[in-house]
Amino acid sequence: FVLLILYMISGPLHPVKHLSIFLLLPDFCPLIATQEAFVTSEEFGQDLEHVEVLQKKFDEFQKDLQNHEDKVTEVNTLSQQLLEDGHPDEDTIVQKRDEVNEAWARLKQLSLLRQERLFGAHEIQRFNRYGIIKEELLVAIFNNVPYSN
C-alpha cells in the first residue's frame, strides 16, 4: 500500500529505493543528534575512577558509532542511485544526503574532541592521584611513621 502511494506520488522511478532512503533518515538523524549530545558533555570526572567509567562509556559509544557507519554509506549509495536514475525530487535528495553527511562529519569531529578531552582528564586525575600518594608518603616520613598504601 505504501509503495502504491509512493508510486502515485513520485512516478515509476524506483519507489522502493525512494522509500528506503526516506525510511532510513527519520531513524538516523535523531540518532546522530542523540550521539552529539553525548559527545558534547562537559562531564570529565571528579576522580580517576570516575574518569575511567566515562572512558569505558565512551569506548562503547565509539563501537556503536562504527556500527552506524554503514547507514551513512547506505544513505549515500541510495541517494546516488536515485540521482543517477533521474529522480524528480533531486533537490530534496541532495539536501537530505548533505544534511546526513554534514551531521555525521560533525559527530565524528566532536567524538575526536571528546576522546582528547577524556585523555586529558585521565592524565590530570592520574597526576592528582600521584600527588596525593606522594603527599601522604611525605607526611609519613616527616612524622616518622610507616607508610602503607
Side-chain angles (χ1 to χ4, degrees):
F1 180 70
V2 173
L3 291 177
L4 179 59
I5 292 173
L6 188 59
Y7 180 82
M8 291 184 327
I9 293 171
S10 65
L13 295 172
H14 301 284
V16 174
K17 287 181 195 174
H18 187 258
L19 180 62
S20 297
I21 195 168
F22 288 105
L23 285 177
L24 269 176
L25 292 176
D27 289 339
F28 193 56
C29 291
L31 174 72
I32 291 175
T34 301
Q35 290 179 328
E36 235 179 75
F38 176 79
V39 294
T40 56
S41 170
E42 292 295 322
E43 182 179 18
F44 296 106
Q46 300 160 356
D47 56 27
L48 187 58
E49 289 78 16
H50 191 206
V51 173
E52 289 172 349
V53 167
L54 293 173
Q55 183 62 51
K56 285 180 185 179
K57 287 181 182 179
F58 182 73
D59 292 344
E60 290 173 18
F61 164 81
Q62 284 188 308
K63 288 177 189 174
D64 192 43
L65 194 64
Q66 289 173 344
N67 291 336
H68 290 300
E69 188 81 41
D70 62 327
K71 287 184 180 181
V72 175
T73 303
E74 189 174 356
V75 166
N76 285 311
T77 301
L78 287 171
S79 63
Q80 187 60 38
Q81 288 173 350
L82 288 168
L83 293 172
E84 288 172 1
D85 291 344
H87 195 278
D89 241 352
E90 183 177 322
D91 292 339
T92 303
I93 292 168
V94 169
Q95 177 192 0
K96 294 295 182 186
R97 180 197 61 202
D98 291 349
E99 286 175 12
V100 167
N101 287 327
E102 288 169 12
W104 190 252
R106 185 175 57 250
L107 178 61
K108 290 182 88 167
Q109 185 62 36
L110 289 169
S111 177
L112 288 174
L113 183 60
R114 176 78 176 162
Q115 183 176 13
E116 291 169 4
R117 288 179 171 176
L118 281 173
F119 177 77
H122 187 267
E123 290 300 300
I124 289 169
Q125 293 301 339
R126 219 171 50 122
F127 178 78
N128 287 344
R129 169 72 56 85
Y130 176 72
I132 290 170
I133 291 171
K134 191 173 181 180
E135 181 182 347
E136 289 172 355
L137 177 61
L138 290 172
V139 168
I141 291 171
F142 181 74
N143 291 330
N144 199 22
V145 293
Y147 173 73
S148 64
N149 184 3

